[in-house]
Amino acid sequence: MNKVSVDGVGQNDTPTTQVKKRLQYVDMARGIAMICIVLGHLKNPILNRFVYTFHVPIFYFITGFFTNDKKPVGEFVKNKAKTLLVPYAVTCGVMILIGTLIGLHNGDGSAFGKWVYAAVYGAGDTWQDPFYIKGIGAIWFLWATFWGSIFLRISLKFNKVARKIFIFGLFVAGYYSRFYIWLPLSIQAGACAVLFMYMGYLLKKSSETLHKIPTEVKIFGFIFAVIVWLNFIGSFQSFWLVHCDIGRGIVDIFGTMCACSVLMFLCWFAERKNFFLVKPLALIGKYSLIFLCVHITELTFVPWWKMAEHFTGITGLPEWTQLAFVITGKLVTDLFITWVCVKIKPVRKIMGYK
């Protein structure tokens, strides 16, 4: 029998002796979420109201759904370190090199130390209080996913009551501790992420039961989830998991789970109907880890907005074209470099793709 396994950021999490089958609709959902991460970094309020409702949580949700609860904890940790922390280290090395060269060109002799500090600390954003922390950028997600995965796997050794106490305790600790200090290696973000991973894990455990639910109930549930998601978008305040900011708390947690559920269903439906965008989006999702690492490097060092201002100034086009120029430039650049990296076998191996 085929063993289905898809990890939350793009790699399989099963022994190589088993046959692996990728779920295309899951890869499609990841591809959409990955594009939305790029859009979310544009800091456009209108786009943010939409993308921040689901783009990071759905990765955690998928990671939890495909968490291997049979593999021994030690082997599980080793696998996660290889598939998440090795790519983190490689990407940081590239960013340190580029950042140092740019710093030297601009006369900043301390650039190397700043980027090494950012890489070692592993914070997703820059903090000023209670002390200065330089953010490494979007690859904080890899550390958070690492911690969240480990926390979830450990919790599966407990009984159901102790497991819930452990997971909710971690979430509360991660959420409230952010008001006082931001710990290294995005461990607080990982503590919050485990709640979303646990929801994905519970869905996997109840999948057979869900299949037996009457169609009428499923349709009602889908419509209800869409309404909740639209309300979340319309009343959006904040939902920045990089800061463990959960917005309005349980209300927004429910909203993001409805958003993830709707997106997963739409991707599943699109795959069944052979929608023409399924394969390209699924390909992005399959290599979402490489795409993320490419994107954070591009985001940090390519001055898209200055280029857009120069471009629109020369042509005399309206200002909204700046946004279109930046979006197009980012996506084309990220997709092309990702495609090149995928074609290079040593890169694929380092990033954990077989």
Side-chain angles (χ1 to χ4, degrees):
M1 182 176 66
N2 286 346
K3 175 68 174 180
V4 178
S5 176
V6 185
D7 196 3
V9 290
Q11 303 107 310
N12 293 321
D13 190 26
T14 55
T16 56
T17 55
Q18 293 178 324
V19 178
K20 307 181 187 72
K21 177 183 177 182
R22 300 195 69 89
L23 299 180
Q24 200 168 45
Y25 75 92
V26 176
D27 278 336
M28 181 183 179
R30 275 199 308 237
I32 293 172
M34 195 65 246
I35 292 173
C36 287
I37 285 177
V38 175
L39 298 179
H41 289 145
L42 296 172
K43 299 182 179 179
N44 181 285
I46 297 176
L47 291 174
N48 285 356
R49 297 181 75 89
F50 171 69
V51 301
Y52 274 92
T53 60
F54 72 92
H55 70 342
V56 171
I58 198 169
F59 279 102
Y60 294 144
F61 181 82
I62 293 171
T63 298
F65 189 91
F66 291 104
T67 292
N68 189 328
D69 57 0
K70 304 300 182 183
K71 183 177 294 186
V73 174
E75 186 179 348
F76 184 88
V77 173
K78 182 179 179 180
N79 177 267
K80 288 297 178 182
K82 180 180 179 181
T83 58
L84 294 171
L85 303 188
V86 171
Y88 175 87
V90 171
T91 305
C92 285
V94 173
M95 295 178 68
I96 290 170
L97 175 61
I98 296 175
T100 300
L101 293 175
I102 293 176
L104 292 173
H105 180 266
N106 295 330
D108 182 6
S110 63
F112 176 77
K114 291 177 181 177
W115 281 109
V116 170
Y117 174 44
V120 171
Y121 209 95
D125 206 350
T126 297
W127 296 74
Q128 301 293 340
D129 185 51
F131 52 86
Y132 175 75
I133 303 171
K134 179 175 174 58
I136 192 60
I139 48 173
W140 66 272
F141 170 79
L142 300 183
W143 269 115
T145 304
F146 173 78
W147 292 118
S149 299
I150 302 309
F151 292 148
L152 177 61
R153 181 63 187 88
I154 291 174
S155 75
L156 300 181
K157 296 178 67 66
F158 305 153
N159 62 52
K160 294 181 180 180
V161 174
R163 183 183 307 158
K164 291 177 176 62
I165 294 173
F166 179 71
I167 289 174
F168 283 104
L170 281 171
F171 179 84
V172 170
Y175 178 80
Y176 284 102
S177 62
R178 70 189 175 97
F179 294 109
Y180 306 101
I181 191 171
W182 192 255
L183 298 175
L185 309 181
S186 294
I187 191 170
Q188 288 147 291
C192 287
V194 71
L195 179 64
F196 301 96
M197 294 181 183
Y198 182 52
M199 293 177 185
Y201 177 80
L202 290 178
L203 178 62
K204 178 181 69 173
K205 289 298 182 182
S206 59
S207 57
E208 292 185 5
T209 302
L210 292 175
H211 285 308
K212 300 177 183 178
I213 296 176
T215 301
E216 182 181 3
V217 177
K218 292 179 181 179
I219 294 174
F220 175 81
F222 175 77
I223 295 173
F224 179 78
V226 170
I227 293 172
V228 171
W229 186 14
L230 292 175
N231 179 71
F232 186 15
I233 294 171
S235 59
F236 182 82
Q237 295 179 5
S238 64
F239 201 83
W240 327 117
L241 293 184
V242 63
H243 296 153
C244 293
D245 180 353
I246 313 297
R248 296 170 297 174
I250 189 66
V251 174
D252 286 352
I253 291 175
F254 182 65
T256 198
M257 294 316 300
C258 286
C260 292
S261 300
V262 170
L263 179 62
M264 291 295 293
F265 173 81
L266 292 176
C267 291
W268 172 81
F269 183 79
E271 181 183 3
R272 291 195 65 185
K273 297 299 181 179
N274 293 317
F275 187 52
F276 73 98
L277 286 178
V278 171
K279 289 185 178 180
L281 288 173
L283 194 61
I284 295 173
K286 178 179 180 180
Y287 294 107
S288 56
L289 176 59
I290 297 178
F291 191 99
L292 173 67
C293 295
V294 169
H295 166 61
I296 186 54
T297 307
E298 161 265 308
L299 174 67
T300 305
F301 299 111
V302 180
W304 287 109
W305 289 107
K306 290 183 178 180
M307 293 164 60
E309 291 176 3
H310 180 71
F311 172 76
T312 54
I314 292 176
T315 60
L317 295 174
E319 290 187 4
W320 66 264
T321 57
Q322 291 186 16
L323 181 61
F325 173 84
V326 172
I327 292 175
T328 303
K330 281 177 169 289
L331 291 178
V332 170
T333 300
D334 292 347
L335 287 170
F336 176 73
I337 298 177
T338 299
W339 177 78
V340 172
C341 291
V342 168
K343 295 296 181 180
I344 303 174
K345 290 184 179 180
V347 174
R348 287 208 311 271
K349 185 175 180 180
I350 290 173
M351 291 296 181
Y353 292 91
K354 296 183 173 58

